[in-house]
Amino acid sequence: MKKLLISTLLLFGLSMNVFGQKHPPVPPHPSKNELVNLKAKELEKKYNTEKKLILNHPLATKQMKRDQMKALNKRYQTEKRLLKQAK
């Protein structure tokens, strides 16, 4: 009787341990469109911050700022084109 009680408690304890380890449901994966839109927003935000940093730089001359803005615009356009192709 004592062995039955111990084995029952042990079995019950192990089953409770297994049930306690269930993982929460996996969140749904975003669609491809949602991912592309998220990347586009991040790209836009990054572009605006870099543009602000270039234009507000205290030591850069107008020509330097113009050259940096051309390079930034060119890079932004190529990245945006790649995102459109991914759609």
Side-chain angles (χ1 to χ4, degrees):
M1 186 69 185
K2 192 174 182 181
K3 287 183 182 180
L4 178 65
L5 180 63
I6 290 173
S7 60
T8 307
L9 286 176
L10 184 63
L11 183 64
F12 182 72
L14 289 175
S15 65
M16 290 302 289
N17 193 14
V18 169
F19 283 119
Q21 291 180 0
K22 282 189 176 178
H23 299 290
V26 179
H29 294 291
S31 67
K32 189 174 182 181
N33 247 357
E34 290 172 340
L35 284 176
V36 169
N37 290 339
L38 182 66
K39 289 290 182 184
K41 286 179 186 177
E42 289 176 8
L43 180 64
E44 185 76 26
K45 188 175 179 182
K46 182 179 171 186
Y47 171 77
N48 287 335
T49 56
E50 287 188 34
K51 179 180 174 183
K52 201 177 291 183
L53 287 173
I54 290 171
L55 294 177
N56 292 334
H57 195 279
L59 301 177
T61 63
K62 285 184 180 182
Q63 182 64 37
M64 289 169 62
K65 288 180 183 180
R66 194 175 311 127
D67 292 342
Q68 288 178 340
M69 283 304 298
K70 279 184 185 178
L72 179 65
N73 287 336
K74 187 176 180 180
R75 191 174 75 230
Y76 175 70
Q77 292 301 324
T78 56
E79 289 180 8
K80 200 168 183 179
R81 191 177 318 117
L82 286 173
L83 270 178
K84 282 185 181 180
Q85 287 175 356
K87 263 187 176 176

